[in-house]
Amino acid sequence: MNKKFATIMLTLLLTVMVVLSGCAKTEEPKAAMTNAAKNAMQMTSYEMKSKFVIEDLQINIPDVTGDPGVTQAMTMLKNAELTVDGIYQSEPQQMEMNMGVHLKGDMAMSINVDMVMTQEKIYIKIPSIPMIPFPEDVVGKFLVMDLQELAEQSGETFSPESMDTEKSQKFVNEVLEALLSEYDQAKYFKEIPVKDAGLPEGVEAKQVVQFFVTNDTLGEALEIMVNNVAPKVVDIAGKPEYRELLGLTEADIDEAKAAVAEVNQEEFQAGLEDMKKAVSINTFNVNTAIDKNDFPAYQDVVMNVDFNDPESSENVKLAIKGSTQYMNINAKQEFKIGIPTDENVITMEQFEESMNQMSTY
């Protein structure tokens, strides 16, 4: 091997090592989650799938537990699933979602609703629901709602600023930084080995970070939220560039600032102590899987909490598990529903007229 060839090979090897180290680079857990959250706001398009399940629901409150209606509702809600499949793009702004509610038990049923949103309108497909019989001539049609008209009907002024995606991203970034910066890494963040994170097939992560709250840190976490984070968020919302985005006036901001500044710490601390006696966190974890481009490709949450009233012995147990996966990030999206055409659309007036006609029979 001559000297020139050896030099070239060494240079190539070093280049590959630099590239690979960059792809595999991991950060401290808190910094990694903060950066991933910020990068999420830079996603100009994506496909997503979400699923949330009520794994356990137990209510022991004498005044309501014996009620047959409450018992039936609990049976239906236990193991109930909420699913959301969606596609989003920022330019031109368009989003479509299929939302599903799947109830279990003796009254098992599934309800699916399609929704399409543009910068100016929302379209909601009227579903067929056995318990709510809509007129046949509207089922399957898309109910269209004009955002400007909705704002005017509620006595507000519709502002295109409120739909400014770029400005919304900047606002959320500032809020996330204010939020995460206040929580100590050692107490609230840790890294989970990728192989132990239980990631679904197709999710390729270079790092998995967990944010968690325990009984020992619950009081402090809420105290940080109220005393440290809330004032920062109000200040951010009060910036001129964000006030119109949020539909707030200077008077609204002044009122919010006064509210967070006037928190009675003695009463707040007493409330925290009462809450600590009543709330028991068995599990509260949020895992974020970060891909090679530093996007949060997958996130799951596990919450298992008991609420106990020490005076009445009433208690409620709630366990929820959920996940969201992002795919085709910043790629060209292929919408499955598309923007509904005129023959498939009805207005609110037409919908109300059809409902009124049905009620007369």
Side-chain angles (χ1 to χ4, degrees), residues 208-224:
V208 178
V209 177
Q210 183 178 99
F211 173 80
F212 61 96
V213 177
T214 67
N215 271 338
D216 293 336
T217 59
L218 177 60
E220 181 189 69
L222 291 175
E223 193 171 355
I224 290 172

Side-chain angles (χ1 to χ4, degrees), residues 213-219 222 271-284 303-310 314-318:
V213 177
T214 67
N215 271 338
D216 293 336
T217 59
L218 177 60
L222 291 175
L272 280 180
E273 291 304 315
D274 289 340
M275 184 209 62
K276 289 178 184 178
K277 297 174 184 176
V279 179
S280 177
I281 294 183
N282 303 312
T283 309
F284 184 85
M303 182 180 76
N304 188 309
V305 184
D306 293 328
F307 303 90
N308 300 288
D309 186 335
E314 297 175 346
N315 59 77
V316 175
K317 181 179 180 65
L318 176 63

Side-chain angles (χ1 to χ4, degrees), residues 25 38 48 87 121 145 158 163 186 197 203 223 297 333-334 339:
K25 179 185 176 184
K38 289 181 179 180
M48 56 89 74
I87 302 173
K121 296 179 180 180
M145 291 176 281
F158 175 72
M163 303 296 287
V203 176
E223 193 171 355
Q333 304 300 318
E334 294 186 10
I339 298 175

Side-chain angles (χ1 to χ4, degrees), residues 183-196:
Y183 289 93
D184 181 69
Q185 176 169 281
K187 290 183 180 179
Y188 299 98
F189 298 87
K190 66 181 177 181
E191 187 160 354
I192 305 294
V194 174
K195 63 181 178 62
D196 298 332

